[in-house]
Amino acid sequence: MPRTGVFICHCGTNIAGTVDIEKAVEASRNFPGVVHAADYRYLCSEMGQDLIKKAIVDNQLDRVVVGTCSPRMHEGTFRKAAAEAGLNPYLLEVANIREHCSWVHKDIEEATPKAISLLRAAAAKAVLNESLDAPELEVEKRALVIGGGIAGIQAAIDIAEAGYEVDVVEREPSIGGRMAQLEKTFPTLDCSACILTPKMVEAAQHPNVNLITYSEVEEVKGFVGQFDVKIRQKARSVDPVKCTGCGICYEKCPSKASSEFEMGLSKRKAIYIPFPQAVPNVPVIDRDACLYFTKGRCQICEKECPPQAIVYDQEDEIFERRYGTIIVATGFDQMNPSQYGEYGYGQHPDILTGLEFERLFNASGPTGGKVVRLSDGKPPEKVVFIQCVGSRDKARGMNYCSKICCMYTAKQAILLKEKVPDAKSYVFYIDVRTAGKGYEEFQRRAAEEYDVAYLRGQVGKIFPDGDHLVVHGVDSLSGKIIEIKADMVVLAAASIARADSPELGRIVGINSDSYHFFNEAHPKLKPVETHTAGVFIAGACQAPKDIPDTVAQASAAAVKAVGLLSKEFLKGEACTAEVNQAECSGCLYCEAVCPYSAISPVEIEERYQGGTLKRTVAEVNPALCQGCGSCTVICRSGSINLKGFSNEQILAEVDAICLQR
Amino acid sequence: MATSNKTRLVDEMKMQSGQDPNECYQCAKCSAACPVTAAMDLLPHQVIRYLQLGFEEDLAKSNTPWICASCFTCAARCPRDLDLARMMEGIRLVMLRRREGNKFGPADLTPEQLEKLPQQALVSGFRKYNK
C-alpha cells in the first residue's frame, strides 16, 4: 500500500471560513493509505511548500494529496514542491476544496462533509497514480500575427526586433486597420497617418517581417510550438513583383464601387488601393465591380499598365506553414445604428456615425477634408453628437461601455471648431468617462475652450424640418426639454466584435464572451493569454480599446510570443492517452474524434491458434496528444486510457464518494 | 429630505409594476421621447429620480403619473429595459388605494359623452383613474 500524506490549506479564511479544517484533517487520517495529515494557513507560501517537502522526507511519503484551491491555480506549485522532495510530480493529487466547495457554500455544516468527500476521492485516486514523464516538443521559430492593424503591426515589429521571423496575415489589401481611417488621435491630436504610416513601412521593410495581405487564415492544426496553419491568399489579379505602384491602372479604370475604407461615403475604382498610403502599394481588382470580370470586356488596366502586372487569371492560393505561436489582433467593427429608429440613421445623409464623420476631416476623404453636410455641401452651423448609441444599452444594444466614444467625440468637436469656426457643437451624454493620461484635461478643453455644450441626457427623436434636423432631447440636470435645429447629427455607435470573430475563434481555438469578444485567460493576470497554449490576443478584438492600450497589449503579446520562441524545447503533456493494443478492436473511432491528429492505425502481429495473425489497431503519438480524453470516451472496448485520468482512477474517486454514505 | 427609498410608495409601486427604479441610470431618454412632457410638472426621468431618493410627498403632488398616456414610448426606448409606463401605473394605483378612492366613474360623464366616446377609451379611462 502506498504511503499517502494529506495537506489541507486554510487559504486564510477562504477555505477555513466555511470548512472545519480540524475535522477535515482528522477525517483524512482514516482514509485508506493515509499515514500523515496536516494543515497550514497558506500552503502555497514558501513555508507551506517546505512543510510538504519535509513531511515527504520524514514520513517516506510516496503519494501526496493537497486540499487547496483549483488545480488551475497551484497544481504546478505543489507538483514542483513534490519534485524537489524527490517525488515524481504526477504522484501529487489536488482536491479542489475552494472553488468547488468553500466558495460556493455558506454553511460550514454542509461544506465540511463535502470537503472531506473531495479529499477522500483525491486520496483514493492518488493510490492509483503513477509516475509520468512529459515529452519534450520542438518549437518552430516563427510567429503568426492575424490582423494587420496597429495591434498586429506593433506585435510583429516587436517580435521581429527580438530576432524572430513573423508573418502578418491581413484580410484587406493593405495593412493599417482602423487607425488608418482616423484623422487625428486623442488626446494629443497627432495626425493618425503621420504616426501610423512609419510603423507600416517599418513592418514592411523589416527583414524578419513577412506581410501576407489580402489573405485569410482557413485552418489551424497542431499545438503550441507547432501550429500548422492553412492560409488563403486571395487573388489580387495583380502581380506584386512586377507592379511598381504607379497608379495608372486605377486612374484609368472606368468602373466604380463603394469604398469600404471611406465607410461607403465615396466611390473607389474596381481596381484600387484602399487609401493613398497603402502598404503594400499594390492594387487589387474587385472582381464583382470589374467590367472585364462581369461583362467580359474593358481590360483598360491591362493595356495601360507599363510593367504588364495585371494577371486576370490569377487564382486564390492556399499554402500551409508551421508556426510556434499565434497572436490574434483582428480589431473591431462599429455597430450599424439603424435599428434605433428614433435617430433616423440611414434615412438622412446628414446623420452619420462617428467613424463616418471622422472621414470628413481627412484630406483624402470623401469631401477632400472639408467638413460639410453631405446633403448640400454646406458647412454645418450646429452639430449634435449623441453618445452611447448602442453602448450601455441592455435592452437593444450592448451592455458594456465602448470606452473610446467620449474621447473621440470631444476630439471631433474640437476639430470641427478648428475647421468650421462658426460651428457650435452639442453633446448629449449619460456620463462622460475620461479615464486615461491627459484625457480628462482634453475633454474639459473641449467644453471650456471650444465652447462645446455638454447636455446630460439623451435624445428621444430626430426629424427633418426643411434644411434642418430637429433634435428632440433633454437636459436632465436642469430638467428641461431641449430642441436643437441641427445641421448634422453624429452618432457614437457602439464598438462591437467583428461579425466573423466566433468563426476565427473556432479555427484558432479561442473562446469568446457573450458579445463575441475574445476571452483572455485571466482578466487581471493573464490579459493577453488565451486558454489555448501558444495563442495570444491583442487590441480591440478582446474588448473596446483605445490606441495606447492596444499598443501596450500588442507589445505584451509579443513578449509572450518571444518567450515561447526563445525556448529550444517545450515540455509537452504528460497525461496522454494510451492504447491497450491487446484489447483494441481496431474500429478507429478514436482516430476520427481526435482533434490533434494524434491517433493513427498501426498493424501488429499476434499469435493465434498456433499461427500468427496480422491486425490493425490504434496507436497514440504522445508528442501530439494533448490529453483531452475524447478517445477514451468514444472507445467501445474501453481499451484506451488517459494517463493520470485512467478509468480506474476516476471510478476509484466515484466509489470513494458514493460508497461512503 | 428623505434619502432612503425604502418608503411604502416605492415598495408598493415595485410590487405593482415589477420594476426597480434603482436600475435607472438617469440618461433621461424617456423624457426625451415622451410625447406629453409639455403638460407634466415633473419629467418622467425626474419621477424615477424622486423614487430613487424617496421623495414621496413631492411625487404625491405631481401631475406626471396622471398625465402619462401609457403610450409606452419610454419603455420601448429605455436602454435599461425598464417599463416606465408600468411604473406610472404603479404610482397611480398606490395613490388611488391610499387616499382618494376612485377618481372617475360613469356618473361623471354626460349621456352624450357616454354615447360618443369609444368603448376602449372609456375602459382605459376607468382603469387608469380607478382602484
Side-chain angles (χ1 to χ4, degrees):
Chain A
M1 191 73 185
R3 296 172 61 81
T4 309
V6 178
F7 301 87
I8 299 172
C9 180
H10 297 222
C11 197
T13 54
N14 273 303
I15 295 172
T18 16
V19 172
D20 186 333
I21 301 285
E22 215 170 297
K23 263 192 193 168
V25 171
E26 277 317 304
S28 302
R29 292 192 202 283
N30 299 322
F31 299 159
V34 171
V35 295
H36 177 80
D39 62 295
Y40 193 69
R41 186 171 288 272
Y42 291 104
L43 268 186
C44 59
S45 68
E46 198 77 25
M47 304 270 277
Q49 294 179 49
D50 286 344
L51 180 102
I52 298 174
K53 285 189 235 174
K54 189 167 180 301
I56 291 175
V57 177
D58 290 353
N59 299 291
Q60 295 119 47
L61 301 178
D62 56 8
R63 298 288 188 281
V64 175
V65 170
V66 288
T68 56
C69 49
S70 162
R72 285 201 87 104
M73 195 71 85
H74 274 309
E75 189 178 59
T77 312
F78 295 121
R79 280 187 171 167
K80 199 164 147 265
E84 281 165 11
L87 218 56
N88 181 288
Y90 293 90
L91 296 174
L92 178 136
E93 199 57 42
V94 178
N96 180 1
I97 57 168
R98 193 177 75 175
E99 283 85 342
H100 283 179
C101 185
S102 68
W103 274 1
V104 289
H105 296 291
K106 287 190 180 121
D107 186 359
I108 196 162
E109 298 301 323
E110 279 181 342
T112 305
K114 178 170 171 185
I116 292 170
S117 285
L118 292 170
L119 287 161
R120 185 186 301 112
K125 185 186 172 202
V127 168
L128 299 172
N129 277 12
E130 286 170 0
S131 297
L132 301 175
D133 281 316
E136 286 189 330
L137 307 169
E138 264 184 70
V139 180
E140 184 74 27
K141 306 265 176 198
R142 187 189 299 120
L144 171 66
V145 175
I146 306 175
I150 182 60
I153 293 170
Q154 182 65 45
I157 292 174
D158 288 348
I159 294 170
E161 278 295 295
Y164 295 100
E165 227 186 292
V166 51
D167 287 0
V168 181
V169 171
E170 166 60 49
R171 172 157 60 184
E172 299 299 325
S174 168
I175 59 168
R178 290 280 173 220
M179 189 175 167
Q181 290 180 290
L182 308 182
E183 164 67 9
K184 296 262 165 74
T185 56
F186 61 75
T188 47
L189 295 182
D190 290 302
C191 150
S192 187
C194 313
I195 56 176
L196 174 67
T197 45
K199 284 210 180 266
M200 289 163 62
V201 173
E202 187 185 348
Q205 292 180 345
H206 202 293
N208 282 344
V209 180
N210 176 26
L211 297 182
I212 310 173
T213 52
Y214 208 48
S215 300
E216 288 183 59
V217 169
E218 294 228 315
E219 190 184 282
V220 176
K221 278 186 169 175
F223 47 89
V224 56
Q226 298 170 26
F227 291 108
D228 289 314
V229 181
K230 212 179 258 180
I231 298 165
R232 174 185 290 270
Q233 189 151 33
K234 293 176 275 186
R236 259 192 137 88
S237 315
V238 175
D239 183 341
V241 181
K242 285 187 189 163
C243 174
T244 58
C246 67
I248 290 176
C249 53
Y250 49 81
E251 243 170 61
K252 302 282 182 185
C253 174
S255 179
K256 285 182 177 176
S258 171
S259 164
E260 298 86 359
F261 184 80
E262 302 293 349
M263 306 301 291
L265 296 182
S266 65
K267 301 274 186 198
R268 56 157 171 82
K269 297 295 180 66
I271 183 164
Y272 70 104
I273 55 170
F275 54 100
Q277 303 94 331
V279 172
N281 185 15
V282 178
V284 171
I285 294 183
D286 172 358
R287 293 186 174 182
D288 295 331
C290 171
L291 287 177
Y292 176 66
F293 280 101
T294 53
K295 301 215 168 75
R297 54 182 148 57
C298 178
Q299 287 172 276
I300 289 179
C301 52
E302 189 184 36
K303 276 169 221 146
E304 297 285 345
C305 178
Q308 312 247 295
I310 307 289
V311 194
Y312 289 122
D313 56 0
Q314 203 176 54
E315 279 175 17
D316 287 9
E317 209 179 295
I318 296 174
F319 60 95
E320 209 175 293
R321 261 195 132 173
R322 179 167 279 195
Y323 300 95
T325 175
I326 300 175
I327 294 176
V328 176
T330 47
F332 70 104
D333 272 330
Q334 190 168 47
M335 176 194 264
N336 179 338
S338 53
Q339 57 160 319
Y340 290 86
E342 67 265 37
Y343 297 141
Y345 176 77
Q347 294 162 30
H348 195 285
D350 296 328
I351 303 174
L352 300 173
T353 67
L355 201 48
E356 289 168 348
F357 191 57
E358 185 84 20
R359 291 308 303 156
L360 302 192
F361 291 99
N362 194 278
S364 62
T367 54
K370 289 199 191 94
V371 181
V372 291
R373 286 152 51 101
L374 294 177
S375 57
D376 56 11
K378 285 186 199 152
E381 281 167 26
K382 288 183 180 176
V383 177
V384 170
F385 294 88
I386 303 175
Q387 306 289 279
C388 300
V389 176
S391 307
R392 307 180 67 195
D393 181 344
K394 75 173 178 187
R396 287 184 291 167
M398 302 296 168
N399 239 332
Y400 55 80
C401 163
S402 287
K403 198 171 178 185
I404 54 174
C405 325
C406 286
M407 284 303 289
Y408 80 63
T409 296
K411 173 193 78 178
Q412 290 180 342
I414 288 175
L415 294 180
L416 174 68
K417 194 78 185 167
E418 279 173 357
K419 287 251 181 185
V420 189
D422 291 335
K424 169 87 183 164
S425 296
Y426 302 84
V427 180
F428 282 97
Y429 69 97
I430 305 175
D431 295 291
V432 176
R433 296 180 167 178
T434 55
K437 192 170 178 174
Y439 286 12
E440 173 70 12
E441 298 91 317
F442 183 81
Q443 187 271 333
R444 289 317 304 162
R445 243 169 71 207
E448 291 162 19
E449 292 170 32
Y450 287 85
D451 194 28
V452 179
Y454 275 81
L455 300 161
R456 199 213 174 275
Q458 276 293 333
V459 167
K461 48 187 171 267
I462 298 171
F463 49 91
D465 179 20
D467 268 359
H468 297 286
L469 291 160
V470 178
V471 177
H472 189 89
V474 67
D475 174 47
S476 72
L477 295 178
S478 62
K480 294 269 186 271
I481 294 288
I482 309 274
E483 216 169 72
I484 299 167
K485 278 195 151 189
D487 299 292
M488 288 177 93
V489 174
V490 181
L491 308 175
S495 297
I496 55 171
R498 297 267 188 203
D500 53 1
S501 67
E503 200 190 322
L504 182 68
R506 253 193 315 279
I507 292 173
V508 186
I510 318 173
N511 53 17
S512 312
D513 62 18
S514 57
Y515 313 110
H516 301 322
F517 285 114
F518 293 135
N519 272 346
E520 63 283 354
H522 188 284
K524 294 171 192 72
L525 302 178
K526 289 185 176 176
V528 297
E529 292 92 328
T530 67
H531 282 302
T532 301
V535 175
F536 305 102
I537 48 176
C541 62
Q542 182 250 356
K545 212 169 266 114
D546 58 18
I547 295 168
D549 284 3
T550 296
V551 171
Q553 209 186 7
S555 287
V559 165
K560 297 283 174 187
V562 166
L564 251 174
L565 296 178
S566 67
K567 292 195 173 77
E568 280 308 315
F569 290 99
L570 291 174
K571 274 275 181 204
E573 181 57 57
C575 298
T576 52
E578 200 175 27
V579 182
N580 178 352
Q581 293 181 333
E583 280 181 14
C584 174
S585 68
C587 71
L588 295 175
Y589 279 9
C590 50
E591 187 190 11
V593 296
C594 178
Y596 305 100
S597 309
I599 299 180
S600 49
V602 64
E603 207 159 78
I604 58 166
E605 283 183 8
E606 272 178 352
R607 285 175 62 180
Y608 181 70
Q609 292 183 348
T612 53
L613 178 77
K614 280 187 178 176
R615 64 185 188 97
T616 303
V617 293
E619 190 177 59
V620 178
N621 177 349
L624 295 177
C625 176
Q626 295 296 294
C628 73
S630 303
C631 53
T632 61
V633 180
I634 199 100
C635 181
R636 300 182 304 169
S637 54
S639 51
I640 304 191
N641 245 339
L642 189 59
K643 283 190 262 180
F645 296 91
S646 69
N647 294 336
E648 297 75 29
Q649 284 172 308
I650 305 286
L651 284 173
E653 286 190 281
V654 175
D655 284 349
I657 293 172
C658 298
L659 298 181
Q660 181 61 30
R661 286 184 195 158
Chain B
M1 184 178 92
T3 48
S4 153
N5 62 7
K6 295 274 187 288
T7 58
R8 244 183 93 229
L9 184 139
V10 176
D11 289 342
E12 275 182 55
M13 186 282 302
K14 276 164 84 170
M15 205 171 66
Q16 294 291 344
S17 65
Q19 308 290 307
D20 183 355
N22 283 341
E23 283 188 24
C24 166
Y25 57 27
Q26 288 285 301
C27 72
K29 183 123 189 160
C30 44
S31 300
C34 178
V36 288
T37 48
M40 291 173 169
D41 54 7
L42 287 178
L43 292 173
H45 79 276
Q46 291 176 307
V47 169
I48 309 233
R49 188 71 183 138
Y50 281 27
L51 286 169
Q52 289 175 340
L53 300 176
F55 294 162
E56 197 170 328
E57 281 171 29
D58 299 284
L59 276 177
K61 279 182 240 155
S62 168
N63 73 0
T64 299
W66 305 99
I67 298 290
C68 166
S70 296
C71 74
F72 291 97
T73 307
C74 46
R77 297 272 194 269
C78 177
R80 301 298 297 157
D81 222 1
L82 279 171
D83 191 335
L84 265 85
R86 271 173 179 269
M87 296 171 86
M88 297 292 181
E89 172 88 5
I91 295 170
R92 287 196 296 267
L93 272 174
V94 175
M95 294 297 174
L96 287 168
R97 288 179 181 178
R98 185 171 291 184
R99 51 186 171 84
E100 294 174 27
N102 291 346
K103 265 198 154 179
F104 165 74
D108 298 321
L109 294 166
T110 62
E112 293 102 66
Q113 283 173 318
L114 275 172
E115 189 80 11
K116 278 186 180 167
L117 278 168
Q119 204 78 49
Q120 204 179 357
L122 285 174
V123 172
S124 52
F126 293 151
R127 275 190 56 186
K128 179 168 172 182
Y129 294 108
N130 296 340
K131 273 192 205 178

